[in-house]
Amino acid sequence: MPIPEKSVTCKNCLTKSECFKELNDSQLEMIEEGRLEVTFNKGEVICKQGMLASHVIYIRSGFVKLYIEGNNGKNIILTIEKDGYLIGLQSLFGKNIFHYTAVAYEETTVCLFDMTALSNLLELNASFAAKLIARLNENTIRSYSRLFCLTQKQSSGRLAEILLCLSNRIYESPRFNLALSRKDLAELTVLSVESLSRVIKEFKEDKLIIVDGKTIEISDRKRLEMICENG
Amino acid sequence: MPIPEKSVTCKNCLTKSECFKELNDSQLEMIEEGRLEVTFNKGEVICKQGMLASHVIYIRSGFVKLYIEGNNGKNIILTIEKDGYLIGLQSLFGKNIFHYTAVAYEETTVCLFDMTALSNLLELNASFAAKLIARLNENTIRSYSRLFCLTQKQSSGRLAEILLCLSNRIYESPRFNLALSRKDLAELTVLSVESLSRVIKEFKEDKLIIVDGKTIEISDRKRLEMICENG
DNA sequence: AATGAAACATGTTTTATATCAATTTTCAGC
DNA sequence: GCTGAAAATTGATATAAAACATGTTTCATT
């Protein structure tokens, strides 16, 4: 994974977000100004629920979880995201705080953009606004389907969904070297670590997946999708 | 409840949505054109998940539930909403279908606005866009907190949250004549009707609420809030 | 007022999953 | 390669809530 150079500007950035492609050079300069670039280590907090959301945080490379913190350490992971995601968009034009905490699952490089500059650009460039709304809506729809999954499916359906999500959306491959611990997976599926372990065992026995150390391969996607649908 | 007259136009509408207040007269005329007004009876489907979202649906009066339909009748209620809500905003600039089904809990009057006209207005009027984004985000944040509630709280916490939501956001009173059946409440809390019944009994015995037929009164808000927080 | 059907309540049993406890595996650091 | 700690697995038990079963209330219709 090539670590982006500091000298890269928004204008010549090759890992540009889809929305930002709508901006012309002068508009790119507007967000370039005051832009910050930071690299987080595995496990580090990128933004903290309740803190002032002065910036929107663009994930340039890496892999993060966004979660809501409740009392007594009761957290719920809203989503896992990788490069291209914009953290904090949900604070635009509303209460100016982060509504969730973001933590890096692995080394993650981000760009910070001033929230006010961003909202000014929204006024200048309607197609930028349209792209941002499209993106917000995409995220919302995904959170709806997660709500459905976690309330209506039981353990195997929940794990099936998470494995398919990791394969399709995050790693984009049927075989992937999982950066997540069992504890992370348990958090994602909202299961205890022990229960998760049992479902994984079941999936292995049923030849749905092949587990080799940290590597997981989806060996029977069709059936896994069926379990996800009906479980 | 006064039923709005058909002769009312967007320009002189008194029950105007917050966002629409950002529009000037000529812009209001743009959405007025092709506007439809429909009244739904209790239990009727206002929009159906998967159908083409050609319009955004403004709730003028009434009370609805939005839910995702899964297989085998497994549904999850995303939210309950009343007058002022815009159904279908989540389909703006994305896949042009409704992502959820909306059903009237009681007689509900809506205005339908052409989705394309609306997205054109977004390009013309930046503060309108800002208000819409603010609203989308508000809904998203609420769905996050619902996700938290349903996955991290148990029965009493879930019921406490729904009762407080009904009191605060929907009926705006500590005492309200509940239009919902036990089955509706069970759906909202994601409990079986029987379990719900037992939690209600418990709340009555603990003098948290007073139930008289269809009327519910929150008699100990403080303690109910505590149960909601920690349950 | 009588009747029947929903809606609601309540007692019992079952079940999925959490929790607790113990063991095995993995892996970093010496 | 050895060692200890953390991670992961496996088995036994506990528990919250579902499912089932039955009884009771409510309410619309005659």
Side-chain angles (χ1 to χ4, degrees):
Chain A
M1 173 197 53
I3 292 166
E5 288 176 37
K6 293 268 185 199
S7 65
V8 169
T9 65
C10 295
K11 235 192 269 189
N12 62 19
C13 175
L14 295 173
T15 59
K16 206 179 307 193
S17 159
E18 271 304 313
C19 323
F20 290 172
K21 287 183 184 160
E22 299 293 332
L23 302 176
N24 63 32
D25 282 1
S26 87
Q27 291 167 342
L28 281 172
E29 269 164 28
M30 280 176 67
I31 59 160
E32 174 70 40
E33 203 179 327
R35 165 177 148 262
L36 295 171
E37 197 172 322
V38 185
T39 296
F40 293 92
N41 295 317
K42 183 179 172 164
E44 285 182 347
V45 172
I46 295 171
C47 74
K48 175 79 180 175
Q49 181 179 324
M51 291 278 281
L52 193 71
S54 53
H55 293 77
V56 159
I57 304 167
Y58 177 69
I59 306 177
R60 193 126 168 231
S61 71
F63 177 32
V64 309
K65 64 173 168 183
L66 309 187
Y67 61 95
I68 291 198
E69 302 188 51
N71 300 331
N72 328 95
K74 280 183 194 166
N75 301 337
I76 174 73
I77 297 182
L78 298 172
T79 181
I80 50 181
E81 298 291 346
K82 57 169 191 169
D83 56 275
Y85 189 81
L86 282 162
I87 298 171
L89 277 188
Q90 288 79 11
S91 308
L92 255 178
F93 301 120
K95 209 175 166 196
N96 203 22
I97 56 161
F98 286 111
H99 296 283
Y100 40 70
T101 295
V103 165
Y105 270 139
E106 59 182 33
E107 190 174 288
T108 296
T109 299
V110 305
C111 293
L112 292 107
F113 296 107
D114 186 71
M115 188 77 82
T116 316
L118 210 80
S119 55
N120 289 340
L121 275 181
L122 277 167
E123 314 228 334
L124 283 176
N125 185 330
S127 24
F128 178 60
K131 276 275 158 60
L132 271 191
I133 291 175
R135 193 170 259 248
L136 280 171
N137 281 342
E138 215 177 276
N139 294 334
T140 303
I141 302 310
R142 263 220 300 279
S143 91
Y144 288 168
S145 105
R146 182 155 171 77
L147 184 55
F148 180 85
C149 174
L150 293 180
T151 56
Q152 303 296 320
K153 295 179 186 178
Q154 46 196 56
S155 54
S156 51
R158 299 220 285 260
L159 179 61
E161 179 148 329
I162 286 295
L163 289 176
L164 288 168
C165 159
L166 286 169
S167 166
N168 298 340
R169 193 163 66 81
I170 304 296
Y171 293 106
E172 300 179 63
S173 156
R175 197 157 174 278
F176 46 89
N177 203 300
L178 192 64
L180 308 178
S181 68
R182 293 300 137 114
K183 192 161 169 299
D184 294 323
L185 274 182
E187 263 192 338
L188 275 166
T189 47
V190 191
L191 289 172
S192 68
V193 177
E194 296 92 328
S195 296
L196 173 84
S197 195
R198 276 179 260 265
V199 184
I200 290 179
K201 188 188 175 190
E202 208 183 275
F203 279 14
K204 282 193 286 191
E205 282 169 0
D206 290 354
K207 307 255 187 285
L208 294 164
I209 57 174
I210 297 164
V211 180
D212 177 20
K214 284 267 146 201
T215 303
I216 291 184
E217 183 180 346
I218 293 179
S219 49
D220 194 339
R221 179 171 298 260
K222 275 269 140 33
R223 260 195 314 141
L224 205 61
E225 281 167 353
M226 260 183 51
I227 289 170
C228 176
E229 274 303 300
N230 307 312
Chain B
M1 174 196 51
I3 291 166
E5 287 177 37
K6 294 267 184 203
S7 68
V8 169
T9 64
C10 295
K11 234 191 270 189
N12 63 20
C13 175
L14 293 173
T15 58
K16 207 178 306 192
S17 159
E18 271 305 312
C19 323
F20 291 173
K21 288 184 183 159
E22 298 294 332
L23 301 175
N24 64 32
D25 282 0
S26 86
Q27 290 167 344
L28 281 172
E29 269 164 28
M30 281 176 65
I31 59 160
E32 175 70 41
E33 203 178 330
R35 166 176 147 264
L36 295 171
E37 196 171 322
V38 185
T39 296
F40 292 91
N41 295 318
K42 183 178 172 164
E44 284 183 347
V45 172
I46 295 171
C47 74
K48 175 79 181 174
Q49 180 177 324
M51 291 278 282
L52 192 72
S54 53
H55 292 77
V56 159
I57 304 165
Y58 177 69
I59 305 177
R60 192 126 166 232
S61 71
F63 178 31
V64 308
K65 63 173 167 182
L66 309 188
Y67 61 94
I68 292 199
E69 303 188 50
N71 301 329
N72 328 94
K74 279 182 195 165
N75 301 337
I76 174 74
I77 296 182
L78 298 172
T79 181
I80 51 181
E81 298 290 345
K82 57 170 191 168
D83 57 276
Y85 190 81
L86 283 162
I87 299 171
L89 276 189
Q90 288 78 10
S91 308
L92 255 177
F93 301 119
K95 209 175 166 197
N96 203 24
I97 56 163
F98 286 111
H99 297 283
Y100 41 71
T101 296
V103 165
Y105 270 139
E106 59 182 31
E107 190 175 288
T108 295
T109 300
V110 305
C111 293
L112 293 107
F113 296 108
D114 187 71
M115 187 79 81
T116 317
L118 210 80
S119 55
N120 289 341
L121 275 181
L122 276 167
E123 314 227 333
L124 283 177
N125 186 330
S127 27
F128 178 60
K131 277 275 158 60
L132 272 190
I133 291 175
R135 194 170 258 247
L136 280 171
N137 282 342
E138 214 177 278
N139 294 333
T140 303
I141 303 309
R142 263 221 299 279
S143 91
Y144 287 168
S145 104
R146 182 153 171 78
L147 184 55
F148 180 85
C149 174
L150 293 180
T151 56
Q152 304 295 320
K153 295 178 186 177
Q154 46 195 53
S155 54
S156 51
R158 299 221 285 260
L159 179 60
E161 179 148 329
I162 287 296
L163 290 176
L164 288 168
C165 159
L166 286 169
S167 167
N168 298 339
R169 193 164 65 81
I170 303 296
Y171 293 105
E172 300 178 64
S173 157
R175 197 157 174 279
F176 46 88
N177 204 300
L178 193 65
L180 308 177
S181 68
R182 294 300 138 112
K183 192 162 168 299
D184 293 324
L185 274 183
E187 263 192 337
L188 274 166
T189 48
V190 191
L191 289 172
S192 67
V193 177
E194 294 93 328
S195 295
L196 173 83
S197 196
R198 274 179 259 266
V199 185
I200 290 179
K201 188 188 175 191
E202 207 183 278
F203 279 15
K204 282 195 287 190
E205 283 169 359
D206 291 353
K207 307 255 186 285
L208 294 165
I209 57 174
I210 297 164
V211 180
D212 176 21
K214 285 266 146 201
T215 302
I216 291 184
E217 181 179 346
I218 293 180
S219 50
D220 195 339
R221 177 171 299 260
K222 274 270 140 34
R223 254 190 323 137
L224 205 61
E225 280 167 354
M226 260 183 52
I227 289 169
C228 176
E229 274 304 299
N230 307 312

